[in-house]
Amino acid sequence: MTINDYKFAGKKAIVRVDFNVPLNENGEITDDTRIRGALPTLKHILKEGGALIIMSHMGKPKGKVVAKYSLKQIVDAVSAALGTPVQFAEDCAKAAEQAAALKAGEVLLLENLRYYPEEEGKPVGIDKEDPAYEEAKKAMKASQKEFAKTLASYADCYVNDAFGTAHRKHASTAVIADYFDADNKMLGYLMEKEVQAVDNILSNIKRPFTAIMGGSKVSTKIGIIENLMDKVDNLILCGGMTYTFAKANGGEIGNSICENDKLELALDIVAQAKAKGVNLVLATDCVAADDFSNDANTQICPSNAIPEGWEGVDAGPESRKAFAAAIEGAKTILWNGPAGVFEFDNFAAGSKAIAEAIAKATDEGAYSLIGGGDSVACVNKFGMADRVSYISTGGGALLEAIEGKVLPGVAAIKG
Ligand code: AMP
């Protein structure tokens, strides 16, 4: 079923959203992007005459009631965003009466799902090495089903609009879908958009395709790099992983960040790129600093000849040009992870050069997808968010989808 085809009039819809918004110490929302992201779905259901039961997690309360993670703190914000009062269920597993009393156009927000360990379905208080762990896991899976069944019992249909948790097989993101038939479960608009964006990168590729992978470590990006190797024309690997490659090739990297157990892997990536005809672009020069701080002394030097006591913290001018050249003229672009320690203004030039080149290529007709918290923060920092095609709300979910893994939250609905 699709959200556009479903007849919500007179129906109750239980909608999994990602309202895991950042709060300050006074419990005030500091960034409401995630609430705004779910509005098209929520407003559509209300406009069509449905009643809404909204559910989400917040933070990591680890299966216990932790006041600072209470969704009660966001009731007013959700109400303001929807333009209608929002009722609150203090216990997400005991909301049957409140759900049953809901009339068309009314909204009920459930308390944090992760107050129950059943949401994540992992046994608590028992070590993985413990011989009783497998039994505990089995028992937890059974109670997870019961928990999902309870949530499902509140509504006539289920909508999943939480892309950020789509890579998790949790009660509210996947297991619950078993209690609705195919005609009564669907993806929300945000999920549809995210799934489409991934498809544009994985299946619907217009060439040339340039992927830019940055961030601190090669180890956390290896799955995605390997999957992209079969798809891209240009692969820019930048950020902290530059120095693992430089060292693997016999370079001197001073104090730069490096994964010494990944040197072989780096050489293997270089060999794979060569074998597959992928244009691999690595930073040849860098901004080296004598301290990990914005006010450090800096010098430009080759990425493989960094003096003792100095560390590479950003891409150098020659590398920035090479990055821009590999992005210019691309028709499909994926960016995940900064090219330097962009949080410090003095080390943001490499990431800025990438953001600018992507914005320019997008102006010229490329499809550009930016994902993963830090690269999103980059385009926001440089004020270029409006000049890229799509900014994903998913961190881990996006990376897993691009690695080619099936997301349980999507599979539970689409089969
Ligand atoms: P990740 O979470 O792996 O995407 O990494 C993002 C982080 O990598 C950001 O906080 C950057 O500051 C950091 N980073 C990027 N380049 C470097 C570098 N050359 N040295 C140390 N950290 C870096």
Side-chain angles (χ1 to χ4, degrees), residues 191-240:
M191 278 281 258
E192 279 186 351
K193 272 203 301 196
E194 297 276 1
V195 169
Q196 181 60 52
V198 171
D199 197 53
N200 286 341
I201 292 291
L202 290 187
S203 327
N204 196 7
I205 304 166
K206 298 194 178 56
R207 297 201 175 274
F209 178 5
T210 297
I212 306 115
M213 291 287 131
S216 52
K217 293 177 174 173
V218 63
S219 53
T220 55
K221 305 278 160 89
I222 185 62
I224 186 164
I225 291 172
E226 288 190 327
N227 194 38
L228 287 171
M229 200 67 92
D230 290 321
K231 300 190 161 66
V232 297
D233 302 291
N234 304 299
L235 179 60
I236 299 172
L237 296 180
C238 54

Side-chain angles (χ1 to χ4, degrees), residues 332-354:
T332 303
I333 301 167
L334 169 69
W335 183 21
N336 173 275
V341 187
F342 77 102
E343 295 92 336
F344 296 140
D345 287 346
N346 290 339
F347 310 149
S351 303
K352 187 166 189 203
I354 290 173

Side-chain angles (χ1 to χ4, degrees), residues 261-321:
D261 58 338
K262 295 288 177 287
L263 302 180
E264 286 290 318
L265 181 67
L267 293 177
D268 184 51
I269 290 172
V270 175
Q272 276 189 49
K274 202 165 175 200
K276 291 181 175 169
V278 171
N279 173 33
L280 180 64
V281 184
L282 287 160
T284 49
D285 63 346
C286 69
V287 177
D290 63 355
D291 187 24
F292 195 77
S293 90
N294 195 42
D295 312 318
N297 296 309
T298 61
Q299 60 171 304
I300 306 296
C301 57
S303 306
N304 60 3
I306 301 174
E308 243 348 276
W310 294 70
E311 61 183 299
V313 287
D314 196 9
E318 190 182 280
S319 309
R320 288 173 224 156
K321 268 193 213 141

